[in-house]
């Protein structure tokens, strides 16, 4: 269960790949820009956006607590400071996306409904929340770039440098 300097443990790997899948799903929201979402992706996967986002919020908290517990056990990659900064930004992105998403909906007065449960009722908007919420989309694009860089580095390690960086997360 625990991580070791040679390999990420079961829970770390489960959280990493489970959340990678969910975040990939969330990024499909960009397809709403094509034909106003009137297509298969927009009609079947994207409508889960708010519920999956709430699930990610819960999972990232668990993942953060777990990462702090495992910080002395984990594999280290060079250059340490740069890798830590990169992974730190990925965590920040995973945390800020659901927060700004909720701000957007509540700020505009749409309320918040998660897996069919109305957690916050529709109401009057809250202007400062709506303005913070408007950062949701630009941050999503930044996160997409960051993820592309992250995946690119993982593939570079595996196929060009041929080291075990990817293997220890598999
Ligand atoms: C990690 C979690 C999340 C990710 C990666 C994510 C990603 C995205 C992306 C890529 C877009 C499309 C942006 C664009 O087309 O420019 C978007 C839009 C949106 N998201 Fe999220 N989202 C997340 C969580 C949430 C949550 C939790 C909520 C609500 C509670 C939410 C509400 C919205 C709304 C309302 C829009 C449409 C905003 C607009 O049209 O400007 N998102 N999100
Ligand atoms: C196909 C997609 C992905 C691949 C191939 C991949 C690959 C990897 C690899 C090989 C590591 C270990 C790096 C090391 O030991 O230095 C890692 C760690 C990490 N990845 Fe990814 N990753 C992917 C998607 C994502 C996504 C979508 C996120 C979040 C937005 C993410 C966040 C992280 C974080 C925060 C770490 C540090 C370890 C941890 O705290 O879990 N990854 N990834």
């Amino acid at each position: 269960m625990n991580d070791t300097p040679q390999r990420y443990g079961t829970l770390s790997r489960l959280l990493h790949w489970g959340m990678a899948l969910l975040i990939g799903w969330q990024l499909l929201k960009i397809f709403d820009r094509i034909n106003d979402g009137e297509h298969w992706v927009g009609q079947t996967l994207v409508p889960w956006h708010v519920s999956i986002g709430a699930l990610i919020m819960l999972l990232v908290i668990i993942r953060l607590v777990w990462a702090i517990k495992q910080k002395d056990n984990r594999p280290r990659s060079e250059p340490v400071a740069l890798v830590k900064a990169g992974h730190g930004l990925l965590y920040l992105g995973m945390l800020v996306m659901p927060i700004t998403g909720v701000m957007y909906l509540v700020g505009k007065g749409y309320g918040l409904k998660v897996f069919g449960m109305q957690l916050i009722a529709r109401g009057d908007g809250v202007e400062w929340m709506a303005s913070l919420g408007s950062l949701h989309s630009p941050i999503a694009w930044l996160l997409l770039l960051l993820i592309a860089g992250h995946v690119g580095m993982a593939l570079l390690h595996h196929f060009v440098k041929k080291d075990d960086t990817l293997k220890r997360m598999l």
Side-chain angles (χ1 to χ4, degrees), residues 19 22-33 49-57 93-106 108 110-114 133-134 136-141 143-144 147:
M19 291 184 73
L22 293 178
I23 289 164
W25 188 343
Q26 290 301 80
L27 291 172
L28 296 177
K29 181 82 180 163
I30 291 171
F31 284 88
D32 268 7
R33 289 172 177 255
H49 194 76
V50 174
S51 299
I52 301 290
L55 186 60
I56 292 173
M57 173 97 236
M94 291 188 276
L95 205 58
V96 167
M97 286 311 296
I99 294 173
T100 53
V102 172
M103 295 259 180
Y104 181 97
L105 291 177
V106 177
K108 295 218 163 192
Y110 296 140
L112 181 67
K113 197 173 182 181
V114 170
S134 67
H136 189 76
S137 161
I139 296 173
W141 288 94
L143 183 63
L144 179 61
I147 291 172

Side-chain angles (χ1 to χ4, degrees), residues 13-140:
R13 282 181 277 129
L14 214 64
L15 284 167
H16 179 269
W17 294 111
M19 291 184 73
L21 189 80
L22 293 178
I23 289 164
W25 188 343
Q26 290 301 80
L27 291 172
L28 296 177
K29 181 82 180 163
I30 291 171
F31 284 88
D32 268 7
R33 289 172 177 255
I34 299 168
N35 201 14
D36 283 326
E38 301 289 323
H39 44 68
W40 186 82
V41 173
Q43 283 162 352
T44 55
L45 296 176
V46 174
W48 293 93
H49 194 76
V50 174
S51 299
I52 301 290
L55 186 60
I56 292 173
M57 173 97 236
L58 199 73
L59 289 173
V60 75
I61 294 168
I62 295 170
R63 185 163 173 187
L64 267 172
V65 172
W66 182 245
I68 292 166
K69 277 197 159 173
Q70 296 297 315
K71 73 174 175 5
D72 296 327
N73 305 340
R74 292 202 154 171
R76 260 177 243 295
S77 296
E78 302 285 343
V80 176
L82 192 68
V83 171
K84 279 200 171 154
H87 290 166
L89 284 175
L90 286 166
Y91 273 100
L92 191 65
M94 291 188 276
L95 205 58
V96 167
M97 286 311 296
I99 294 173
T100 53
V102 172
M103 295 259 180
Y104 181 97
L105 291 177
V106 177
K108 295 218 163 192
Y110 296 140
L112 181 67
K113 197 173 182 181
V114 170
F115 293 112
M117 293 173 287
Q118 195 78 40
L119 298 184
I120 299 174
R122 277 177 167 274
D124 302 327
V126 186
E127 206 166 325
W128 67 268
M129 280 197 180
S131 30
L132 283 180
S134 67
L135 296 173
H136 189 76
S137 161
I139 296 173

